[in-house]
Amino acid sequence: MTDSQVVPVIDVHSGNFKELWPALVVAIKTSSFIALDTELSGLGNRKSLLAESIEDRYKAICHAARSRSILSLGFACFKKLDHKSPDSYLVQVYNLTLLCSEEYIIEPQSVQFLVQHGFDFNKQYSHGISYCKGNNKGGSDDRGIHIRALFTELLRARKPLVLHNGLIDMAFLYQSFYAHLPERLATFTADLSDMFPAGIYDTKYITEFELRLTASYLEYAYKKCKLDNSRGVSSGAPGPHLHIGFCQYAGHMSTYVDYRECPAVASSEEQTEVCQRFSAFGWCPNGTKCPLSHDTDLIILQDEKCKDDKRKKRKRQREKKRGGGATAEGSAVFDGAPLNKIPNMEVDPEGDKQDTTTETRRDDLPHGESEAKPDEEQSLSAEKDGGAELQNCPTTGTAEESKPEEGSEEKLSDRSVKAQKKKADTGTHRAGFDAYMTAYIFAFSCALSKKEDSEVGENEKEQSCLPACLNKVYLSGKAAPLNVVKSTFTKSSKAHLQKMEMVWGGSMYSIFSKKTMT
């Protein structure tokens, strides 16, 4: 099974931001790719965020980004180690607590969810790193030690940017640390293509269309990728496999580190009933009061068993059909989804009556869906922070992922008790750890793509990592993603061109100006 792992997350706030600034900048500049995640004060009208028209969705997202704020920002910097085995990374994870200096809306549902999962609003208001939204106010963005200057360093690094269900994140990042959001979606995507020339990757899209997992909320996708990677390593199967190492922090630096544990996935023959809504969407209207299990490890194992049973059933049906028996099932609408999840993937007429105050994270449609539904409004809020159920274990740091230990399996009856305890735990929800999970999914997907395309040369493989997913951002309920490209008929925004002149200097500004005129 999978191995336990302790992830050190460096807690950054106004009291240590200046001290940690050099390390943050070096981590960004030397990384191979960077994953980001945000905690937000709200999302606004959920129905508008799921409008049929993508342009209307963008307007709703702009309204949310202009009127709400980022409460915390997670950075996960993955640096590929050339002197080690292929797909070995040195990882640094940061969680920045932020405080917008302007008025902003904070939604009660967001407060409730964040408090339930350990977010410290007292700490935010006393030690949050202050920032102003929109266009720069007072001084240049590239001078001094502040969050907007850090975002400038991110742009200058020209590294691939990785997010999970990232459209809302990108809009909030743009409005909070860059400039006022442009009015049109095409202008926004044109600006983004300039800002991140190495490309943007959305692990929600990768999970749905590349890995094709049964569920795609963040915690599920991370744990499934980690389980598959660990199985490959422990079985001695041909690689490449993902290998993760962490910096070790000593002295007073260790006081800034919050250690996050992702426990090993255990198995058992005993059965425990899981919450099917949480299993399908990554959220449950009953929240911590739900009597059923929200244990993602257990959900993954049961999904694998269901898929294996379904595969055997199809094989028997094909053999029966070839033998002149009854025909196989005709519908393949929910092909690949475990049977126990299908009822929750259909239209739920009672969906609008569910309590909407328990979960305020965002999620999307499961596999096979194509239009907005009542459940989707809830799951839109549930996706972004899929790691909220992971345990917090303040232990000493570790330099590398630990190897699977014998006897690490535990009985499922004990797991059900622990699952209830996990759901009630506080202090388990961080943008930094969510950014780490996002980065892990991406790194695993890259390793898997190389394994499946072994005939391509090493240099070509490095350049062609997930080309089908480059600059494609997941859109809820849509069969096609949002392409982050600069159209021939679209100009970049004036504010963006001014920013790029500041970031890159006058020569680069003239290049961008010529592009917009051609």
Side-chain angles (χ1 to χ4, degrees):
M1 308 310 290
T2 191
D3 48 309
S4 294
Q5 181 182 37
V6 178
V7 180
V9 181
I10 301 177
D11 182 31
V12 186
H13 48 77
S14 61
N16 63 9
F17 187 36
K18 186 175 182 179
E19 178 187 352
L20 293 173
W21 173 268
L24 265 165
V25 174
V26 170
I28 290 172
K29 288 183 176 180
T30 60
S31 64
S32 302
F33 66 87
I34 299 167
L36 298 183
D37 188 84
T38 61
E39 296 294 343
L40 309 175
S41 69
L43 292 174
N45 187 291
R46 275 35 171 196
K47 288 186 178 181
S48 298
L49 295 173
L50 295 169
E52 182 66 24
S53 166
I54 304 302
E55 197 68 41
D56 289 342
R57 289 192 194 189
Y58 175 69
K59 290 178 181 177
I61 293 172
C62 286
H63 176 71
R66 290 164 182 161
S67 57
R68 277 82 174 165
S69 73
I70 298 177
L71 304 180
S72 65
L73 174 65
F75 271 83
C77 302
F78 273 48
K79 178 184 178 181
K80 194 159 190 179
L81 301 176
D82 296 328
H83 60 282
K84 296 235 177 178
S85 57
D87 295 287
S88 295
Y89 293 90
L90 179 65
V91 177
Q92 296 185 63
V93 185
Y94 295 87
N95 187 87
L96 287 74
T97 301
L98 308 180
L99 180 63
C100 183
S101 300
E102 303 166 291
E103 290 186 357
Y104 62 90
I105 295 172
I106 182 163
E107 299 173 9
Q109 299 96 325
S110 296
V111 173
Q112 182 183 28
F113 168 76
L114 290 170
V115 169
Q116 284 177 348
H117 293 87
F119 189 88
D120 189 345
F121 280 93
N122 288 329
K123 177 182 176 181
Q124 188 215 3
Y125 282 101
S126 61
H127 292 94
I129 303 168
S130 63
Y131 71 94
C132 294
K133 295 189 294 183
N135 294 327
N136 186 42
K137 299 177 179 70
S140 177
D141 282 1
D142 64 341
R143 295 174 188 167
I145 297 176
H146 49 84
I147 193 66
R148 295 175 73 92
L150 187 66
F151 190 72
T152 299
E153 293 293 343
L154 176 66
L155 298 180
R156 286 175 174 160
R158 299 170 69 90
K159 305 294 183 181
L161 178 66
V162 185
L163 308 114
H164 188 84
N165 198 17
L167 180 58
I168 293 176
D169 281 314
M170 289 189 296
F172 269 81
L173 291 168
Y174 190 109
Q175 178 67 29
S176 298
F177 311 135
Y178 192 64
H180 285 303
L181 282 162
E183 297 299 324
R184 295 180 61 245
L185 177 60
T187 308
F188 177 57
T189 56
D191 290 356
L192 289 175
S193 67
D194 286 341
M195 294 164 64
F196 300 100
I200 296 172
Y201 293 87
D202 190 333
T203 54
K204 178 77 171 178
Y205 178 83
I206 292 171
T207 301
E208 289 271 353
F209 294 95
E210 185 75 11
L211 301 181
R212 297 189 176 277
L213 301 185
T214 302
S216 59
Y217 51 92
L218 183 58
E219 182 185 354
Y220 184 103
Y222 164 68
K223 286 196 168 183
K224 174 61 175 169
C225 290
K226 192 169 185 300
L227 177 61
D228 288 348
N229 185 71
S230 182
R231 283 169 171 167
V233 173
S234 60
S235 67
H241 304 297
L242 190 58
H243 301 277
I244 300 297
F246 300 99
C247 291
Q248 291 183 305
Y249 304 99
H252 77 283
M253 275 292 293
S254 62
T255 63
Y256 301 151
V257 182
D258 184 11
Y259 294 100
R260 301 281 150 185
E261 184 183 11
C262 181
V265 176
S267 63
S268 174
E269 296 179 357
E270 188 177 345
Q271 293 295 311
T272 297
E273 189 174 1
V274 302
C275 172
Q276 296 307 323
R277 283 190 183 275
F278 189 91
S279 175
F281 297 104
W283 72 275
C284 171
N286 297 320
T288 57
K289 297 179 181 178
C290 181
L292 304 176
S293 175
H294 289 182
D295 189 334
T296 312
D297 299 339
L298 179 60
I299 292 169
I300 290 172
L301 295 175
Q302 289 196 0
D303 283 353
E304 290 180 341
K305 185 177 185 304
C306 286
K307 290 183 75 172
D308 186 55
D309 291 345
K310 192 171 183 180
R311 193 178 300 113
K312 292 177 181 178
K313 182 179 178 181
R314 286 204 196 98
K315 183 178 179 181
R316 289 195 299 268
Q317 289 174 333
R318 286 195 297 269
E319 292 173 351
K320 187 176 181 180
K321 186 176 181 180
R322 284 195 295 268
T327 58
E329 293 173 313
S331 175
V333 174
F334 299 104
D335 188 30
L339 297 178
N340 62 340
K341 288 192 180 183
I342 290 178
N344 293 291
M345 296 166 67
E346 297 172 345
V347 178
D348 182 1
E350 299 297 319
D352 280 327
K353 299 179 183 179
Q354 297 292 347
D355 179 9
T356 63
T357 62
T358 302
E359 300 282 350
T360 58
R361 300 172 292 163
R362 67 174 184 272
D363 196 293
D364 307 296
L365 292 172
H367 294 298
E369 299 294 337
S370 61
E371 54 184 311
K373 297 176 181 177
D375 269 347
E376 187 184 0
E377 291 178 40
Q378 303 294 334
S379 57
L380 174 73
S381 302
E383 169 55 48
K384 176 180 161 322
D385 310 305
E389 301 279 347
L390 296 178
Q391 275 187 318
N392 172 27
C393 181
T395 61
T396 56
T398 178
E400 296 185 8
E401 287 185 310
S402 58
K403 300 297 180 185
E405 299 179 357
E406 292 186 10
S408 62
E409 297 185 0
E410 52 186 332
K411 292 187 178 296
L412 206 55
S413 58
D414 296 332
R415 289 182 57 78
S416 64
V417 174
K418 292 183 179 181
Q420 298 297 325
K421 182 179 178 182
K422 282 166 65 177
K423 288 160 58 177
D425 273 348
T426 60
T428 58
H429 182 61
R430 293 293 182 273
F433 191 82
D434 289 353
Y436 169 75
M437 290 193 290
T438 301
Y440 190 100
I441 295 167
F442 177 72
F444 173 79
S445 302
C446 289
L448 190 63
S449 69
K450 293 176 187 177
K451 182 177 180 180
E452 293 174 348
D453 192 14
S454 57
E455 295 181 0
V456 181
E458 283 297 320
N459 292 333
E460 294 179 70
K461 284 195 289 184
E462 188 66 29
Q463 296 296 322
S464 63
C465 180
L466 301 179
C469 302
L470 176 65
N471 289 331
K472 292 181 179 178
V473 177
Y474 187 83
L475 292 173
S476 303
K478 299 294 182 182
L482 172 68
N483 290 309
V484 180
V485 295
K486 193 170 194 175
S487 167
T488 308
F489 308 100
T490 303
K491 294 182 179 181
S492 297
S493 67
K494 183 178 179 180
H496 164 68
L497 293 176
Q498 292 173 344
K499 291 289 180 181
M500 294 308 286
E501 180 182 16
M502 178 272 294
V503 172
W504 297 111
S507 59
M508 184 60 67
Y509 173 72
S510 62
I511 292 174
F512 283 121
S513 298
K514 289 178 182 178
K515 283 184 179 181
T516 60
M517 298 179 67
T518 57

